[in-house]
C-alpha cells in the first residue's frame, strides 16, 4: 500500500540569530478546518508537497532529533539546523532535490490559481522577501520577476540551492538578488524586522515546532509586513479522509521527515497573533493530492 509522503551573494541582512520576539494579540477566527466540506473516499497518492516515497524510504533510517530552540545561544542558529535536520549524505540530499524538481508538476498546476490569488498582494509591496522551505523555487515565478526584489531562500537541504537559483534566473531575478540560506524555520538567521514579506507553502506541516516557526515569521517581518501561506491540513472531523489520515499519521511522521497529516495548521496560524488575517479553505481534486486535499491559504499581516 503506497503512502502519501512529504515534499516542499552575501547580504548585510544576514546576521547572527537575534532573540525571539513576539506579541500576542487576542484576534481569532473560527476553526477553519470545520468549514471544509465532506470529501469522497480518497485514493492513496504517491507524492506530496514536501517529501516523496523514495525519500521516505531512506529517511526512515535517518532519525531527527527533537527541537530545543529555546536553549540555543543567540548566535548559534546552526545548532538548531543540526537538531531538526541532521546532516544527510550528499547523494541523498541531491537525489531528494532532483526528485522534487521533477515530481511536483501536477500539484503545482492544481494549486496555481490559489498561489496567484495570494501572491498578487506582494506586487509593489515587498522588496525584501524571505521564503521558508524554498525548495527548488516553484514560488519564485509569482513574486520574483523583477530586479527590485531581494529574496532570502531558507531550506535545510543545501542541494536545493542549484535548483532554486535556476528558478530565480528563469524568472529574471539577478543572481545578486538571491541568497540561499541553509537553515530551518524555527531559527532564521535574519535580523528582527528585516523583511517586507515571508512566504511559506507546504512548510508548517513538517516543522518540528509550529509555534516557534510562526514566532520567527513575526520576528523578521517589518511592521505591516505580510505572511503568505498555503498548507495542507487535517480533514473535517467525522469524514473517512480524517479517519484515514489519523490511521496513517504516526507512520507518516516517522517515514516522511515529520510530516503531520492531521496537523491543524490553520488554527496555529489563527492563534499566532497577526494584526489581521485572511484565511481561506480549499479542497484539491487531483487524485495524486487526495490524501492532502484539505488546504488553507491566505495572508497574515503584522
Amino acid at each position: 500500500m503506497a503512502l502519501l509522503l512529504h515534499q516542499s551573494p552575501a547580504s548585510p541582512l544576514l546576521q547572527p540569530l537575534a532573540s525571539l520576539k513576539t506579541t500576542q494579540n487576542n484576534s481569532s477566527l473560527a476553526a477553519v478546518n470545520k468549514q471544509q466540506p465532506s470529501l469522497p473516499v480518497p485514493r492513496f497518492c504517491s507524492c506530496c508537497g514536501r517529501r516523496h516515497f523514495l525519500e521516505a524510504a531512506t529517511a526512515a533510517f535517518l532519525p531527527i532529533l527533537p527541537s530545543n530552540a529555546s536553549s540555543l545561544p543567540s548566535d548559534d542558529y546552526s545548532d538548531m539546523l543540526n537538531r531538526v535536520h541532521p546532516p544527510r549524505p550528499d547523494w541523498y540530499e541531491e537525489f531528494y532535490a532532483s526528485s522534487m524538481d521533477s515530481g511536483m508538476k501536477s500539484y503545482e498546476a492544481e494549486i496555481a490559481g490559489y498561489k496567484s490569488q495570494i501572491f498578487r498582494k506582494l506586487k509593489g509591496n515587498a522588496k525584501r522577501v524571505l521564503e521558508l522551505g524554498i525548495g527548488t523555487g516553484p514560488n519564485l515565478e509569482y513574486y520574483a520577476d523583477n530586479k527590485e526584489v531581494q529574496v532570502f531562500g531558507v531550506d535545510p537541504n543545501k542541494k536545493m540551492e542549484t535548483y532554486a537559483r535556476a528558478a530565480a534566473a528563469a524568472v529574471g531575478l539577478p543572481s545578486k538578488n538571491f541568497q540561499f540560506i541553509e537553515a530551518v524555520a524555527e531559527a532564521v538567521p535574519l535580523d528582527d524586522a528585516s523583511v517586507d514579506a515571508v512566504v511559506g507553502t507546504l512548510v508548517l506541516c513538517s516543522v518540528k515546532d509550529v509555534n516557534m516557526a510562526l514566532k520567527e515569521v513575526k520576528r523578521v517581518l517589518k511592521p505591516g509586513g505580510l505572511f503568505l501561506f498555503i498548507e495542507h491540513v487535517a480533514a473535517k472531523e467525522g469524514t473517512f479522509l480524517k479517519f484515514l489520515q489519523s490511521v496513517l499519521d504516526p507512520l507518516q511522521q516517522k517515514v516522511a521527515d515529520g510530516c503531520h497529516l492531521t496537523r491543524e495548521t490553520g488554527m496555529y496560524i489563527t492563534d499566532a497573533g497577526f494584526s489581521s488575517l485572511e484565511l481561506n479553505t480549499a479542497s484539491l481534486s487531483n487524485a495524486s493530492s487526495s490524501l492532502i486535499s484539505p488546504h488553507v491559504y491566505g495572508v497574515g499581516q503584522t
Side-chain angles (χ1 to χ4, degrees):
M1 178 182 293
L3 292 180
L4 168 74
L5 301 169
H6 238 59
Q7 174 184 355
S8 122
S11 162
L13 268 179
L14 186 59
Q15 300 290 339
L17 179 65
S19 301
L20 298 181
K21 298 178 182 177
T22 183
T23 57
Q24 293 298 327
N25 297 328
N26 294 324
S27 59
S28 63
L29 297 177
V32 295
N33 291 326
K34 295 185 181 297
Q35 300 172 7
Q36 298 168 357
S38 296
L39 299 170
V41 176
R43 296 184 227 172
F44 288 96
C45 57
S46 60
C47 68
C48 171
R50 296 282 303 167
R51 295 290 183 267
H52 282 261
F53 176 80
L54 289 176
E55 187 216 5
T58 307
F61 300 98
L62 297 170
I64 293 178
L65 300 178
S67 165
N68 189 23
S70 61
S71 65
L72 288 177
S74 61
D75 62 349
D76 195 11
Y77 70 89
S78 61
D79 183 56
M80 175 67 84
L81 169 64
N82 290 329
R83 288 171 179 269
V84 175
H85 188 83
R88 270 78 161 164
D90 282 350
W91 68 263
Y92 169 77
E93 298 281 59
E94 175 58 38
F95 171 75
Y96 167 45
S98 176
S99 297
M100 294 310 309
D101 189 53
S102 60
M104 290 299 296
K105 298 188 185 303
S106 63
Y107 175 85
E108 290 297 333
E110 185 168 9
I111 205 71
Y114 300 111
K115 285 189 175 184
S116 296
Q117 180 178 333
I118 63 172
F119 279 109
R120 68 170 58 106
K121 297 180 183 294
L122 289 188
K123 295 294 184 180
N125 295 322
K127 291 188 176 181
R128 294 178 180 270
V129 180
L130 164 66
E131 180 163 353
L132 299 175
I134 192 168
T136 59
N139 292 326
L140 291 171
E141 64 177 291
Y142 295 96
Y143 70 87
D145 56 349
N146 70 76
K147 296 182 179 180
E148 295 184 358
V149 175
Q150 185 172 14
V151 178
F152 302 90
V154 165
D155 202 284
N157 182 348
K158 62 183 180 296
K159 295 298 183 180
M160 293 292 186
E161 181 173 5
T162 298
Y163 298 93
R165 285 195 175 278
V171 299
L173 185 69
S175 177
K176 65 183 178 63
N177 287 22
F178 179 81
Q179 181 172 338
F180 183 90
I181 304 172
E182 187 183 359
V184 291
E186 293 92 335
V188 178
L190 295 181
D191 279 347
D192 294 0
S194 59
V195 297
D196 302 303
V198 176
V199 172
T201 62
L202 299 181
V203 173
L204 297 179
C205 50
S206 59
V207 298
K208 297 294 289 185
D209 190 324
V210 183
N211 287 325
M212 182 168 287
L214 288 169
K215 286 180 180 179
E216 283 291 83
V217 168
K218 294 179 65 182
R219 180 183 67 78
V220 300
L221 279 173
K222 297 177 181 178
L226 302 177
F227 172 46
L228 284 71
F229 59 89
I230 299 179
E231 298 287 345
H232 74 78
V233 296
K236 183 179 179 181
E237 199 67 42
T239 63
F240 180 78
L241 179 55
K242 178 58 179 296
F243 168 76
L244 194 59
Q245 289 177 333
S246 298
V247 170
L248 296 176
D249 196 45
L251 179 60
Q252 179 80 353
Q253 293 179 41
K254 292 181 182 297
V255 302
D257 208 5
C259 166
H260 292 68
L261 294 175
T262 58
R263 181 168 278 175
E264 302 281 356
T265 305
M267 295 308 300
Y268 280 102
I269 296 172
T270 298
D271 294 340
F274 290 98
S275 63
S276 65
L277 178 64
E278 173 192 333
L279 194 153
N280 309 286
T281 62
S283 294
L284 304 189
S285 58
N286 191 303
S288 67
S289 305
S290 57
L291 193 56
I292 58 163
S293 175
H295 275 57
V296 294
Y297 66 100
V299 180
Q301 187 170 26
T302 55

